Amino acid sequence: MRFSSPSILLFVAIAISANGEQESNIRILKGKKNNKLKPLPINDADFDEPLWEAIIERAFPPWKVPDDGCPTYDKVEGTLISGSFPTPEKNKFNPCYYTKAFAGLDPSKGGYPSPIDTHYPYEFAAPFLGQPGDGSVKHCPIDSDSTIDVGSCPKLGQCPGVKDCAVITDEYGIGHIPPFVPLAAVKNAYQALSRSQPNKMCADWFNYETDGCNIKKSVLDELVLDQFGEDLDGETVVKFPPPILIDGVPSKTYYRLEYINEKSAYGEDCGGGTCKGPHYCSDPAVENVWGDFCPYVMVGENSGQYRHPHVALAALELWIANQCMPEVCPKRWLHSPNGQDYQTDPLKSTSITWAEMKDNNDPVSQPKDPYEWPNTAGLEDGIFPGKDLYAGKSVKPAPGMYVTEFVAC
């Protein structure tokens, strides 16, 4: 239950609150001596970064991985060379993950909660009004042509002409920033404070009555500005590097699980295709296609292992909250207030209306060439969500925080 600032325009809002009995039992670690919070599990083979897989799987336990591993292909739009798809398990999540198409849908469909579902405060998503890019950070005009490149539509609060930079305004605060930015900020702060000031950190970071098991937005703002705030022409902005290795050294936002630019079985960059961030598109990429419609890594030893940074942030928040407020913040996200009522109705899901794919039943499929939107098969005749989730209505009543004003380029 994270509430946005009053200045944010609400399209549909939902607040999750615990019952009175739970609230009366809230205990935050404070006022006691010698409390210690657990150190983050560390991956010695990854520059001593946190073992994100363990943190994520604690909050989002996975289905059983097939004995032959996740499907692995020789290249983008290539041949399956090993592995098989897993069998869904109730209230668990897909360990072989290839597309964000299922985000916001029931875990049995193969996805994880969307940033809207995890209450990510810097998403500033477009409302579900039937336009291309609905529910995403891309604010395409409501009357956009169906062939518009969604990737060309603006995000809220970006620095004009400056890449990887968000402005700060009185109306919205910090504009859209990718989740790997606050993920890095929280990680660094937790590692610095969890042993020396555990009681103060728990008391300062959480307010269960207003934010549930999420870290307070005011705290996230402070951490992000402290670590990523910069001066740009006399104004404070949030400036950040990509989450990759730069000259062999982790950037300030490094997050390995995006698996950008993995090689094909033949040594080709980007799996023999075209990389658009962590998305592996055909080469040449289909004209007008938004990279997010392309699948995640499906080549090499990390095939199917992409994990969203907003999911890692949600897992890290809950990992900390479970130590600070164990009576009301359980280990699993679906059992926590943060995941309460998640995906109880597919017609209220936060899944983005998908594009037409070459194979509407293949999670590693590429967008159809020439590009078409929306997906015509939908969940009834395929696996990708289309306008079928609007049920013939002009608005999809997906609970969440949305920006309903015009966003300029």
Side-chain angles (χ1 to χ4, degrees), residues 85-381:
F85 288 100
T87 300
E89 300 176 44
K90 185 177 177 58
N91 292 332
K92 292 187 177 183
F93 294 84
N94 187 1
C96 304
Y97 187 72
Y98 298 97
T99 173
K100 70 183 291 182
F102 313 136
L105 295 172
D106 188 279
S108 66
K109 299 294 185 182
Y112 287 76
S114 74
I116 300 170
D117 298 317
T118 62
H119 319 299
Y120 178 59
Y122 308 113
E123 187 72 354
F124 300 114
F128 287 96
L129 299 177
Q131 81 284 11
D134 55 351
S136 78
V137 300
K138 294 293 189 175
H139 292 262
C140 300
I142 301 302
D143 58 353
S144 295
D145 186 88
S146 63
T147 61
I148 189 174
D149 177 0
V150 176
S152 69
C153 297
K155 302 176 184 178
L156 184 138
Q158 303 303 283
C159 301
V162 182
K163 186 178 180 182
D164 298 333
C165 178
V167 299
I168 303 171
T169 65
D170 292 337
E171 185 177 9
Y172 292 101
I174 299 171
H176 171 77
I177 52 176
F180 55 72
V181 177
L183 178 65
V186 171
K187 172 201 72 174
N188 293 337
Y190 181 83
Q191 290 177 322
L193 300 174
S194 59
R195 303 296 287 178
S196 61
Q197 303 179 48
N199 299 334
K200 185 177 187 303
M201 194 193 76
C202 285
D204 289 349
W205 283 23
F206 296 99
N207 184 330
Y208 183 81
E209 292 183 358
T210 58
D211 297 273
C213 302
N214 285 117
I215 297 172
K216 294 187 296 185
K217 183 180 183 297
S218 60
V219 172
L220 292 180
D221 285 349
E222 182 179 345
L223 297 179
V224 167
L225 287 172
D226 180 62
Q227 299 179 47
F228 296 96
E230 294 186 11
D231 180 86
L232 180 66
D233 299 329
E235 299 288 339
T236 300
V237 299
V238 174
K239 189 80 171 63
F240 50 91
I244 60 174
L245 298 176
I246 299 177
D247 297 327
V249 178
S251 73
K252 285 178 63 177
T253 62
Y254 174 66
Y255 177 68
R256 179 175 56 87
L257 300 189
E258 290 216 329
Y259 294 118
I260 298 172
N261 195 20
E262 297 284 289
K263 295 187 181 297
S264 73
Y266 314 107
E268 302 162 298
D269 288 340
C270 296
T274 298
C275 278
K276 294 188 175 185
H279 298 270
Y280 288 66
C281 299
S282 57
D283 191 17
V286 178
E287 184 179 3
N288 273 11
V289 71
W290 183 31
D292 285 35
F293 289 140
C294 299
Y296 297 112
V297 59
M298 78 296 290
V299 297
E301 63 182 8
N302 296 314
S303 176
Q305 299 310 300
Y306 173 90
R307 297 294 183 267
H308 290 286
H310 76 266
V311 170
L313 177 61
L316 179 59
E317 288 183 285
L318 191 57
W319 194 83
I320 301 170
N322 174 248
Q323 297 180 76
C324 292
M325 303 180 290
E327 290 90 348
V328 290
C329 296
K331 296 177 181 179
R332 292 191 178 188
W333 187 83
L334 284 176
H335 297 165
S336 76
N338 298 5
Q340 185 177 329
D341 295 329
Y342 173 67
Q343 239 319 285
T344 55
D345 182 353
L347 297 182
K348 295 181 180 179
S349 72
T350 59
S351 57
I352 296 168
T353 302
W354 214 246
E356 191 76 358
M357 307 301 280
K358 292 182 179 180
D359 184 343
N360 281 325
N361 286 285
D362 182 1
V364 298
S365 180
Q366 293 287 325
K368 184 179 178 181
D369 190 4
Y371 173 68
E372 294 181 15
W373 183 94
N375 189 279
T376 58
L379 296 181
E380 183 173 348
D381 297 319

